[in-house]
Amino acid sequence: MKKLILHSALALILTGAVFAQPTGGPGGPPGEDPCKTERQTYCKDSRPGHETDRCLKEYMSKLSETCKNHINEMMSRFEKFRSACAADDEKYCKNVERGPGHMKCMRENESKLSAACKAALPPPPPGNRM
């Protein structure tokens, strides 16, 4: 189960769906994907999600430092989120499949979440504000 959660999270993180950086951050201007070149170079035939994640993992040693740093930062953010929200996740969204629907469940229950979980909850991706 833990493996499924981590794989789902990695899929969302690498595709930028969960922890998007609408204000910029490592790798470039606001809204720019720090791994865009790598996706286009190594994974252009992969479908977004798990397939692209597996592809990027295969080429991890060839990724730019900017892309590697971005992935590491997103994984760190996810770990903080997962740790801070474990009890809330179990209470409000345990029967929701991992992925965008799961994050939507967490956002829909935001008013009930613990203070630590609220602080760790990532903002919705740009253009998808609730």
Side-chain angles (χ1 to χ4, degrees):
M1 182 62 164
K2 217 177 199 183
K3 225 176 190 180
L4 174 64
I5 293 169
L6 288 175
H7 284 288
S8 297
L10 184 59
L12 291 170
I13 289 167
L14 293 179
T15 57
V18 176
F19 295 94
Q21 294 182 351
T23 59
E32 188 174 306
D33 177 1
C35 297
K36 181 178 180 178
T37 301
E38 287 84 347
R39 285 181 218 289
Q40 292 172 343
T41 302
Y42 304 116
C43 306
K44 65 183 176 195
D45 296 327
S46 299
R47 289 186 306 229
H50 293 296
E51 200 173 302
T52 299
D53 297 344
R54 280 192 293 273
C55 176
L56 286 174
K57 280 189 230 176
E58 287 177 33
Y59 292 97
M60 191 62 104
S61 65
K62 296 182 179 186
L63 301 180
S64 68
E65 286 304 309
T66 301
C67 181
K68 286 179 189 176
N69 290 341
H70 175 72
I71 291 169
N72 289 334
E73 182 181 330
M74 296 302 103
M75 289 301 294
S76 175
R77 285 185 191 182
F78 172 72
E79 285 302 318
K80 288 177 185 171
F81 165 75
R82 189 179 65 77
S83 176
C85 296
D88 293 305
D89 179 41
E90 179 69 21
K91 190 173 184 179
Y92 302 113
C93 303
K94 75 177 184 178
N95 295 321
V96 179
E97 186 177 337
R98 300 291 179 210
H102 185 264
M103 192 54 63
K104 181 179 178 189
C105 174
M106 294 296 283
R107 288 188 213 297
E108 288 172 349
N109 287 288
E110 188 169 358
S111 65
K112 303 174 205 168
L113 301 177
S114 67
C117 183
K118 282 182 192 179
L121 189 68
N128 195 18
R129 303 273 177 206
M130 294 184 85

